Each structure stands twice: as C-alpha cells, then as structure tokens.
Amino acid sequence: QSALTQPASVSGSPGQSITISCTGTSSDVGGYNYVSWYQQHPGKAPKLMIYDVSKRPSGVSSRFSGSKSGNTASLTISGLQAEDEADYYCSSYTSISTWVFGGGTKLTVL
Amino acid sequence: QVQLQESGPGLVKPSQTLSLTCTVSGDSLSSGSFFWSWIRQPAGKGLEYIGRIYTSGPTIYNPSLKSRVTISVDTSKNQFSLRLSSVTAADTAVYYCARVSGTTDILTGYYVPDAFDIWGQGTMVTVSS
C-alpha cells in the first residue's frame, strides 16, 4: 500500500484560510468515508482533528473542516492562528482492512 | 478519561525482537467497543500503521510488516502488546499505541475501525548494537 499524497508544506497568515489536500486511490480515500486528519506539534503525539471525512471530535475548533471529492480529501483551516502551526497527516481506511497515512504537511503560520 | 501508556526497552540490538506494551486506563480492552493499534514514526518522517487488534475479531497487520509483527492483548492486565522480530536500523522510530474508534458501516453492516481517537505519548526505540 502506498502512502497518501500530501503537499510537503503550506503557509498562511493569521486570519487567512488554508487547505491541505490528500490524494489516494479508489482502494482507500475514494472507496471509503473513513478519512481522518491529525495534528502533530513537535515532540508530541498526533491529535485527531477530523474523522469520517468531515466530522469533528468534541473539543476541536469549528475552524477545522474536512471534505472529499473522488480520490482526494481536503482539510481546511479557517481563521489561521499561531497555535495551528504544526504537521498535519491524513489517513484512510483501505480495501485490505488496514490504514494508510499521508506523508504529512508542515503548516507555517507567517 | 482514557489514557494509553507505552513501555518497553529503548534500545534493541539488530536481529533481535522489539517488544512493547501499551497499558490502557479508563477503558476496558474487553468491552469490544474499540480497536487497539500500533503506529510508528521514524525521526523526521511520517506515520506508519503497524497493525490493530480487536477482541471480537481478527488482528490485521500492515502487509509490509506482517511477516515480522505480532500484536496481542492481555485483558486481565488491560494491556496490549507489540512484538517485531528481526529488527534493523530501519525499525528505529517513536512507537505509538492508539485507540481506534469503530462505526457500523452503512453498506455492509460490519463494525469497522473509524479513526485513531486517543494516542499514547509515544516511546522511542533505537535499533543499534
């Protein structure tokens, strides 16, 4: 199973919106609505931000939203804040009952 | 409040077996409500799924690691464990245990893993002689 494709880096200014893409295949992202997104600050464990493509766990800011079209999922962060600067990973359930992660995207808040 | 804590040796010699344990508090592994998983992350790199266990179903491994991995559960201690054999330097990484929430798939009716909703803090394992 190949890793999902994410941009290596994205950046935005405080208050702006950014979108991170996550491209897979019909055997993972395109075939299931079990796409999730994780935020990871340096030296910390990942934190679940979005699950089932667009659902937010309790306690996660409404500034975070997710969507999917075909084999590509997206994470949008609106009203960027300094604390959003982190690495973001997408993940998808696959046709062989495993999980596959994206390579990660480093978000820089300018 | 559910918490997961990894434990095990921080240094393993090449060709030996890496063994880690994840102790779960605040939830019961035998409840059958969740799946339990191991994930690793080499320094400066991305996350890699290792495998998952479910007390009411099969254990599923990453095909690339399947021949070397065993995940088991001890419900009496509320722990689940990872064993990775024949390790090399490429297995050096931070190892995380995680709880995986489940959902009933609308199309199949099966109970399937959903997302890694709670993570341990991670433990660094170095493979070196």
Side-chain angles (χ1 to χ4, degrees), chain B residues 41-125:
Chain B
Q41 184 175 34
K45 297 187 178 181
L47 300 166
E48 181 180 29
Y49 170 77
I50 298 173
R52 63 166 169 87
I53 192 164
Y54 182 50
T55 53
S56 301
T59 302
I60 306 292
Y61 301 117
N62 183 329
S64 67
L65 299 170
K66 186 176 181 179
S67 63
R68 300 193 292 130
V69 175
T70 301
I71 296 176
S72 59
V73 63
D74 186 340
T75 54
S76 67
K77 295 182 179 180
N78 221 36
Q79 296 174 334
F80 63 104
S81 299
L82 168 71
R83 287 174 58 86
L84 181 65
S85 64
S86 305
V87 297
T88 70
D91 296 308
T92 295
V94 175
Y95 285 75
Y96 295 100
C97 59
R99 189 182 80 170
V100 191
S101 58
T103 189
T104 300
D105 187 86
I106 294 176
L107 294 178
T108 66
Y110 293 134
Y111 190 67
V112 297
D114 200 23
F116 305 96
D117 64 347
I118 298 177
W119 296 62
Q121 65 184 26
T123 187
M124 179 68 199
V125 178

Side-chain angles (χ1 to χ4, degrees), chain A residues 1 32-36 38 40 43-48 50-52 55 87 89 91 93 96-104, chain B residues 39 41 45-49 52 60-63 96 100-101 103-106 110 112-122:
Chain A
Q1 54 188 32
Y32 302 90
N33 287 326
Y34 303 131
V35 176
S36 47
Y38 302 87
Q40 186 179 36
K44 300 295 186 181
K47 174 187 176 183
L48 177 65
I50 295 288
Y51 69 101
D52 290 0
K55 297 178 181 177
D87 293 327
Y89 294 90
S91 184
Y93 192 60
I96 54 173
S97 302
T98 63
W99 286 85
V100 62
F101 286 95
Chain B
I39 298 150
Q41 184 175 34
K45 297 187 178 181
L47 300 166
E48 181 180 29
Y49 170 77
R52 63 166 169 87
I60 306 292
Y61 301 117
N62 183 329
Y96 295 100
V100 191
S101 58
T103 189
T104 300
D105 187 86
I106 294 176
Y110 293 134
V112 297
D114 200 23
F116 305 96
D117 64 347
I118 298 177
W119 296 62
Q121 65 184 26

Side-chain angles (χ1 to χ4, degrees), chain A:
Chain A
Q1 54 188 32
S2 300
L4 305 176
T5 301
Q6 297 181 232
S9 63
V10 298
S11 62
S13 299
Q16 289 185 332
S17 295
I18 63 94
T19 296
I20 300 172
S21 61
C22 170
T23 301
T25 69
S26 58
S27 295
D28 38 64
V29 175
Y32 302 90
N33 287 326
Y34 303 131
V35 176
S36 47
W37 289 89
Y38 302 87
Q39 177 192 66
Q40 186 179 36
H41 287 109
K44 300 295 186 181
K47 174 187 176 183
L48 177 65
M49 304 302 285
I50 295 288
Y51 69 101
D52 290 0
V53 175
S54 60
K55 297 178 181 177
R56 275 182 290 106
S58 174
V60 171
S61 171
S62 58
R63 297 185 299 105
F64 291 83
S65 62
S67 62
K68 190 185 84 166
S69 178
N71 295 337
T72 298
S74 299
L75 172 71
T76 298
I77 309 174
S78 59
L80 267 181
Q81 299 180 359
E83 67 209 49
D84 299 331
E85 185 162 293
D87 293 327
Y88 290 85
Y89 294 90
C90 62
S91 184
S92 174
Y93 192 60
T94 77
S95 60
I96 54 173
S97 302
T98 63
W99 286 85
V100 62
F101 286 95
T105 298
K106 181 176 181 59
L107 169 61
T108 300
V109 180
L110 302 171

